[in-house]
Amino acid sequence: MYGNNPITCGGAHKVQKIETLASWIEQSDNIVFFGGAGTSTESGIPDFRSAAGLYQTEQHSPYPPEVMLSRSFFVKMPDIFFDFYRSKMLHPDAKPNGCHRLLAKLEAMGKLKAVVTQNIDGLHQKAGSKEVLELHGSIHRNYCMDCRRFFGLEQVMASKHVVPRCPYCQGIIKPDVVLYEEALDQQVLISSMDAITHADLLIVGGTSLTVHPAAELVSYFEGSRSVLLNMDPTPYDRKASLMMNDKIGEVMDQVSGLLGI
């Protein structure tokens, strides 16, 4: 993620930075996007670690969100887990924003090769992206822990019980999302590493780059141009070629306008 001449908030006007990003996209044909929760905040889905994120606003609960979203808590107290999961993690009516839409268009043009996301909301797919590597799984996939049948989000939300049960064997239906204490899917991780390694432009957006091992993926980038779009500072700010502390959806909408797509 290193750049020879970093363009930061203090060194260039916002318009110039947006024009630079549009120019780099035009010149690239192997773009990879790596995104986190901030990618979806403009779609009405709260992030985790910002001042308005779940980890701050839910501290009044008897159990911290990090605890409730752990594998051991899920096993011991599935009713409390699902109560929190349904009320805070599911946003079925959320719509893609400018970031999701531009990335889908770039993929359709053959420029963007993969979206690597820490999100579980499925908004990239809803926007039209097909090459989406979901590091933490998806709320749209759910499976019975006993018979392994898969179910969609609609079936989970329609359950009359707090803890959704399989209609075939009565086993607990677990969201196919990676909880704390669970390992990431190794094939998804390997595919993400490969995509980032071969990218000629890496765009990182809406992530604090503090959740491991996902955050370490940016170190696999070997290209010369990297872009970091995040509202708050990250450990990789000084390594990005272009850094922007602006709303990613708004920025991508303006880039889309400059590109005429």
Side-chain angles (χ1 to χ4, degrees):
M1 237 185 123
Y2 292 88
N4 295 324
N5 299 295
I7 303 174
T8 65
C9 290
H13 191 270
K14 178 180 178 180
V15 173
Q16 179 193 345
K17 291 185 287 180
I18 292 175
E19 291 174 345
T20 298
L21 175 54
S23 174
W24 288 358
I25 289 175
E26 280 187 319
Q27 297 166 23
S28 303
D29 58 11
N30 191 338
I31 304 169
V32 170
F33 178 83
F34 177 85
T39 306
S40 296
T41 53
E42 289 163 88
S43 295
I45 300 177
D47 62 9
F48 295 90
R49 290 172 174 78
S50 71
L54 282 179
Y55 288 175
Q56 300 300 322
T57 60
E58 296 300 317
Q59 289 305 319
H60 64 276
S61 168
Y63 305 101
E66 301 96 316
V67 172
M68 287 189 283
L69 293 174
S70 67
R71 173 74 183 204
S72 56
F73 191 90
F74 170 82
V75 172
K76 294 176 182 177
M77 301 182 178
D79 53 339
I80 299 178
F81 168 88
F82 274 105
D83 183 61
F84 177 79
Y85 179 75
R86 288 170 185 267
S87 63
K88 302 298 181 181
M89 306 297 291
L90 300 183
H91 303 272
D93 297 325
K95 293 178 173 56
N97 60 51
C99 178
H100 303 105
R101 292 191 295 268
L102 176 58
L103 295 174
K105 291 174 184 176
L106 293 176
E107 181 185 303
M109 294 170 63
K111 283 182 167 293
L112 185 133
K113 304 305 180 184
V115 169
V116 180
T117 180
Q118 296 171 285
N119 294 344
I120 60 175
D121 52 47
L123 287 183
H124 287 293
Q125 291 92 331
K126 189 177 284 189
S129 291
K130 295 178 173 59
E131 296 300 321
V132 183
L133 296 166
E134 297 172 311
L135 294 169
H136 297 153
S138 172
I139 62 171
H140 297 281
R141 295 189 304 271
N142 305 270
Y143 64 91
C144 173
M145 298 178 71
D146 291 341
C147 71
R148 311 302 290 186
R149 284 183 172 89
F150 270 82
F151 301 91
L153 177 60
E154 298 78 9
Q155 291 165 290
V156 172
M157 294 187 67
S159 173
K160 297 179 181 179
H161 306 285
V162 174
V163 179
R165 294 278 179 174
C166 174
Y168 300 97
C169 72
Q170 295 305 306
I172 293 177
I173 296 177
K174 180 187 180 297
D176 191 16
V177 299
V178 180
L179 302 176
Y180 288 104
E181 303 167 355
E182 292 182 331
L184 272 61
D185 183 295
Q186 287 302 298
Q187 187 53 57
V188 173
L189 202 55
I190 291 171
S191 296
S192 299
M193 293 175 185
D194 183 66
I196 290 173
T197 298
H198 293 95
D200 61 9
L201 172 63
L202 176 65
I203 303 175
V204 180
T207 173
S208 62
L209 292 174
T210 57
V211 179
H212 298 277
E216 297 162 7
L217 288 173
V218 296
S219 66
Y220 286 86
F221 180 58
E222 298 178 354
S224 59
R225 290 174 172 174
S226 60
V227 180
L228 180 57
L229 289 159
N230 199 58
M231 293 296 291
D232 299 314
T234 80
Y236 289 84
D237 285 2
R238 294 182 179 276
K239 298 178 181 180
S241 312
L242 174 64
M243 188 183 72
M244 303 174 72
N245 297 121
D246 296 289
K247 291 183 177 180
I248 189 169
E250 292 181 3
V251 168
M252 293 303 218
D253 265 337
Q254 294 178 63
V255 170
S256 183
L258 289 174
L259 295 173
I261 58 175

